Amino acid sequence: MGKLCWCRDFQYSAPQDARPHVSPTKARNVLLIVAALIVAVTFQAGVNPPGGVWQENSNDHRAGQAIYAQRTESFYMAFLVCNTIALSTSIVVIISMTYKFPYFPEVWIATIVMFVTYGFAIFAVTPKSVKFRFVLIAGAAPFLLRTVIHVYKVLNQQEQPRE
């Protein structure tokens, strides 16, 4: 199964990572840092949306609702969908780059719970008129894409004749 993994060159390997000059380890570390920064920024943007939230109720909004949500189209597509794609893609990278590491199950649980928390946060600050199916599709797309690519590679490798 290790030969079928798309990220095998970056996965943790005790004998390989013991050598100080190995570049896959450095590349993996850089990818993890970049992915973690993207997760932090996108999570914060979802919890505290651009423009903040209304502080009081009125006829056209309620307290705690995102101010930017008044611009339904741009809030939806430019912010919620794109921010969610960035968050979930970065989570896929983090999960992939830490696979087979010690404490991987804990990393997996923490990232999934954080993603669920993000979902509840954007649900709390978004008006009820917003259709969340687009956000759910955006959140699932990177996971589904990575799964399809992996299955394609597995099937493609099985079809190739062995030498």
Side-chain angles (χ1 to χ4, degrees):
M1 185 81 152
K3 292 183 178 183
L4 301 177
C5 185
W6 69 272
C7 59
R8 70 178 180 275
D9 294 333
F10 299 109
Q11 286 182 344
Y12 177 78
S13 167
Q16 183 179 4
D17 287 333
R19 296 179 289 165
H21 65 283
V22 176
S23 63
T25 300
K26 292 178 184 176
R28 182 182 57 241
N29 290 342
V30 169
L31 284 171
L32 282 169
I33 290 168
V34 170
L37 288 172
I38 293 170
V39 164
V41 169
T42 55
F43 181 85
Q44 182 59 32
V47 172
N48 187 15
V53 295
W54 294 106
Q55 299 299 310
E56 75 290 329
N57 289 323
S58 94
N59 292 337
D60 60 343
H61 61 265
R62 74 183 207 291
Q65 197 174 65
I67 295 171
Y68 189 37
Q70 297 286 16
R71 298 173 149 180
T72 310
E73 298 276 326
S74 60
F75 179 72
Y76 234 3
M77 298 308 290
F79 176 68
L80 275 183
V81 170
C82 292
N83 195 61
T84 302
I85 290 171
L87 177 72
S88 61
T89 302
S90 296
I91 287 174
V92 167
V93 170
I94 289 170
I95 289 173
S96 299
M97 293 294 112
T98 58
Y99 182 70
K100 291 189 177 181
F101 267 52
Y103 299 105
F104 173 73
E106 290 83 357
V107 170
W108 187 84
I109 290 168
T111 53
I112 297 304
V113 170
M114 182 190 60
F115 194 60
V116 170
T117 303
Y118 169 83
F120 282 120
I122 64 169
F123 183 74
V125 300
T126 304
K128 301 300 180 218
S129 62
V130 172
K131 294 175 179 64
F132 279 98
R133 67 176 167 256
F134 298 116
V135 178
L136 291 173
I137 291 168
F143 293 95
L144 295 174
L145 181 62
R146 178 49 47 202
T147 302
V148 167
I149 290 170
H150 182 71
V151 168
Y152 173 78
K153 286 184 176 186
V154 167
L155 294 175
N156 193 30
Q157 190 169 16
Q158 288 177 352
E159 290 176 3
Q160 294 178 355
R162 295 182 187 210
E163 298 176 12

